[in-house]
C-alpha cells in the first residue's frame, strides 16, 4: 500500500541523472516518478498525487522555470526543488521567484539531496493556517481559496446582473448547481423565480406541455390552462440541468425558444414573449457530442455564450483543506459534536485521494467521519475505499496484483463502499473481497 510513501516527481533530460536521483530517493524510502521532458512532467502531475517536485533547470524543450511557474499556479502547495548544473545566481533567483523552495548544484551527494528535501519540506506553505487569513472565500455558499475558485467568483460576478446564457461544464459533484444558484440569487433578478429542469426526466410526449404549458381543452385531460417551465421562470432563471441528456426532440424545442425568445402554449396560437436567463449544466463533453452529432451545434452555441468549467477537486488541492475545515465546522455543529478535531494524518490521506465524486464525496465522507468519531477524527474513521486508494500511476507498468487492487478500489468508490455491490460487480464473493482489501 502506497499510503505513507511520498511520491516524488523528478524531471531531467539526462537519464543517468534521473536514475541516480531515483536510487537516492529510493534509499530515503520515497516513491519516484521520472520525466525526461516538461510535457511528460505535466502529464505525471495531472494524473498522480505528487508530494515533491525536483526539476532540472535546463531542459531542452521547455525551460524548467516554466515548469515551476506552471506548478506554482496549479499546485501551489507542492514543494519544489531545483537542481542545476550551471549555477548562475540569476537563474537560481528566477527559480526561487517562480516557487522553488531550495536548490541543489550538480554534482551532489546523497546527504546534500536529503538535506535539500528536508529543507524544502520545512519551508512548505502552512496550508491550514493560511486559509483563515483569506478574506473572501465564500460566495453564496461556494467556498474555496484556490486561484481557480477566485476566477470562478470573478466570472459569476460578471454574469449575475445580466441575462446572457451560461453553460456550466464539469465533473459530477463539482458544484455546477451551486454555481447556477449563485448566479441567480446573487444577481439583480434574485427576487424573480429560479426554475430547475432536469433534461433527462421529461417524457418525449410531454416536452411541449411541460416546457410551454397548455391552454384549457388543448387535449383530453387539460381541464385548466397551465403554464410551463419557461413561463414559470419568467423574469428570472431557468436552469437546464443535465443538458447533455436532452433528447434530440427536446434540443429542437429548446433551440426554437432561444432563437425566437417566445413560446406558444400547447393548443394556443398566440406566441408569448419570454424574458428568462438560461443556465445549462452538464457533466458530458458537449463539444464532443456536437462533433459526434448527438448534440445540436446551433443549440450548443446558443447556450455557450459564457462558459464556466468547474475544476475537479484533485486539481485544486488547497480547496480540499478549505472545504474540509468548512464542512467540519458545519457538520460538527449540526451533529452536536462541537470542538471536534482531525488527526493530521487523516488530512494527509484526504489530500492524497483523487476524489472521483468531488465536493459531494468529500462532504459525505466528512459527515460520515464525524458520526463515527468522538472528539478526534482518527485514521480508523476514514472510509475504507479511501484508505485503499492508490494514486493512478500513469506510464508505469504494473503487476496483475496492483491492477486488481486498483480495480477493487475503483469499484468500491463507485458503489459508495457497498461491499456486497462491489463483490457482485467484481464477480467474487464478499469474503474474498474482504481478504483482498485486508
Ligand atoms: N465550492 C463549494 N463549496 C461548498 N460546497 C460545495 C462546493 N462545490 C460543491 N459543493 C457541494 O457539493 C455538493 C454537490 O454540488 P452540486 O450539486 O452543485 O454539484 P454538480 O456539479 O451539480 O453535480 P452533478 O453533476 O452530480 O449534478 C453540494 O452539496 C454542494 O453544496
Ligand atoms: Mg447537478
Amino acid at each position: 500500500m502506497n499510503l505513507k510513501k511520498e511520491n516524488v516527481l523528478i524531471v531531467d533530460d539526462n537519464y543517468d541523472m534521473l536514475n541516480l536521483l531515483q536510487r537516492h530517493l529510493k534509499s530515503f524510502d520515497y516513491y519516484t516518478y521520472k520525466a525526461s521532458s516538461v510535457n511528460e512532467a505535466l502529464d505525471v502531475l495531472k494524473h498522480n498525487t505528487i508530494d515533491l517536485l525536483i526539476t532540472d533547470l535546463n531542459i531542452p524543450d521547455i525551460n524548467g522555470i516554466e515548469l515551476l511557474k506552471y506548478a506554482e499556479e496549479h499546485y501551489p502547495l507542492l514543494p519544489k526543488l531545483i537542481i542545476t548544473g550551471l549555477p548562475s545566481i540569476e537563474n537560481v533567483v528566477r527559480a526561487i521567484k517562480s516557487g522553488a523552495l531550495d536548490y541543489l548544484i550538480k554534482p551532489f551527494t546523497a546527504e546534500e539531496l536529503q538535506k535539500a528535501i528536508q529543507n524544502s519540506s520545512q519551508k512548505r506553505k502552512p496550508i491550514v493556517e493560511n486559509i483563515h487569513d483569506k478574506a473572501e472565500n465564500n460566495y453564496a455558499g461556494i467556498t474555496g481559496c484556490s486561484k481557480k475558485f477566485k476566477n470562478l467568483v470573478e466570472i459569476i460576478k460578471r454574469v449575475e446582473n445580466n441575462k446572457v446564457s451560461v453553460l456550466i461544464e464539469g465533473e459530477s459533484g463539482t458544484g455546477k448547481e451551486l454555481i447556477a444558484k449563485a448566479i441567480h440569487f446573487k444577481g439583480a433578478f434574485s427576487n424573480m423565480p429560479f426554475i430547475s429542469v432536469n433534461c433527462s426526466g421529461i417524457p418525449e410526449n410531454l416536452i411541449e406541455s411541460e416546457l410551454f404549458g397548455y391552454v384549457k381543452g388543448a387535449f383530453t385531460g387539460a381541464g385548466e390552462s397551465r403554464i410551463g417551465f419557461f413561463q414559470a421562470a419568467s423574469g428570472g432563471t431557468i436552469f437546464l440541468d443535465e443538458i447533455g441528456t436532452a433528447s434530440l426532440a427536446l434540443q429542437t424545442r429548446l433551440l426554437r425558444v432561444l432563437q425566437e425568445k417566445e413560446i406558444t402554449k400547447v393548443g394556443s396560437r398566440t406566441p408569448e414573449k419570454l424574458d428568462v436567463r438560461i443556465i445549462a449544466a452538464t457533466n458530458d463533453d458537449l463539444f464532443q457530442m456536437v462533433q459526434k452529432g448527438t448534440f445540436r451545434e446551433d443549440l450548443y452555441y446558443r447556450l455557450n455564450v459564457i462558459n464556466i468549467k468547474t475544476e475537479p477537486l484533485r486539481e485544486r488541492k488547497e480547496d480540499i483543506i478549505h472545504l474540509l475545515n468548512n464542512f467540519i465546522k458545519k457538520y460538527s455543529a449540526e451533529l452536536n459534536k462541537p470542538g471536534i478535531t482531525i488527526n493530521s494524518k487523516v488530512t494527509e490521506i484526504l489530500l492524497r485521494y483523487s476524489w472521483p465524486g468531488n465536493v459531494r464525496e468529500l462532504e459525505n465522507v466528512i459527515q460520515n467521519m464525524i458520526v463515527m468519531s468522538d472528539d478526534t477524527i482518527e485514521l480508523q474513521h476514514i472510509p475504507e475505499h479511501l484508505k485503499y486508494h492508490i494514486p493512478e500511476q500513469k506510464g508505469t507498468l504494473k503487476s496483475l496484483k496492483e491492477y486488481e487492487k486498483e480495480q477493487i478500489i475503483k469499484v468500491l468508490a463507485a458503489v459508495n463502499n457497498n461491499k456486497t455491490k462491489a463483490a457482485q460487480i467484481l464477480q467474487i464473493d464478499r469474503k474474498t473481497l474482504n481478504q483482498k482489501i485486508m
Side-chain angles (χ1 to χ4, degrees), residues 55-58 82-88 92 103-106:
T55 179
D56 183 26
L57 272 192
N58 302 306
I82 51 159
I83 39 176
T84 172
L86 305 159
S88 85
V92 171
Y103 64 96
L104 205 60
I105 295 162
K106 295 183 205 175

Side-chain angles (χ1 to χ4, degrees), residues 374-429:
D374 296 320
D375 44 6
T376 310
I377 301 171
E378 298 284 2
L379 287 172
Q380 73 261 27
H381 303 125
I382 301 179
E384 243 157 300
H385 74 275
L386 256 84
K387 282 197 219 165
Y388 296 110
H389 175 83
I390 310 169
E392 213 182 301
Q393 291 168 16
K394 216 189 164 216
T396 42
L397 294 173
K398 284 169 260 185
S399 67
L400 267 180
K401 220 177 157 62
E402 280 173 302
Y403 269 117
E404 182 186 87
K405 211 182 282 174
E406 279 184 22
Q407 185 57 20
I408 292 175
I409 290 157
K410 262 191 210 151
V411 173
L412 278 170
V415 297
N416 255 335
N417 216 24
N418 179 329
K419 286 191 201 149
T420 311
K421 266 198 207 153
Q424 268 168 9
I425 293 170
L426 292 160
Q427 298 186 1
I428 53 177
D429 58 45

Side-chain angles (χ1 to χ4, degrees), residues 221-270:
E224 291 295 328
S225 312
R226 225 188 79 176
I227 57 164
F229 291 133
F230 274 98
Q231 274 189 313
S234 188
T237 305
I238 189 161
F239 176 49
L240 303 172
D241 202 5
E242 298 187 36
I243 188 79
T245 62
S247 64
L248 282 171
L250 177 56
Q251 291 179 30
T252 309
R253 286 346 183 273
L254 290 173
L255 178 70
R256 219 168 51 217
V257 179
L258 277 149
Q259 279 170 338
E260 291 163 13
K261 296 200 167 58
E262 54 185 33
I263 55 114
T264 309
K265 285 198 181 93
V266 177
S268 161
R269 286 166 183 244
T270 329

Side-chain angles (χ1 to χ4, degrees), residues 286-302:
L286 272 200
F287 187 71
Q288 207 176 32
M289 288 179 70
V290 168
Q291 236 109 63
K292 278 202 217 140
T294 48
F295 199 85
R296 290 187 66 134
E297 188 175 12
D298 36 14
L299 178 60
Y300 173 73
Y301 287 112
R302 291 269 175 184

Side-chain angles (χ1 to χ4, degrees), residues 171-178 198 239 241-242 281-283 360:
E171 285 180 20
S172 181
T174 47
K176 295 186 293 294
E177 185 172 338
L178 204 58
N198 189 318
F239 176 49
D241 202 5
E242 298 187 36
T282 181
N283 45 35
R360 182 181 292 115

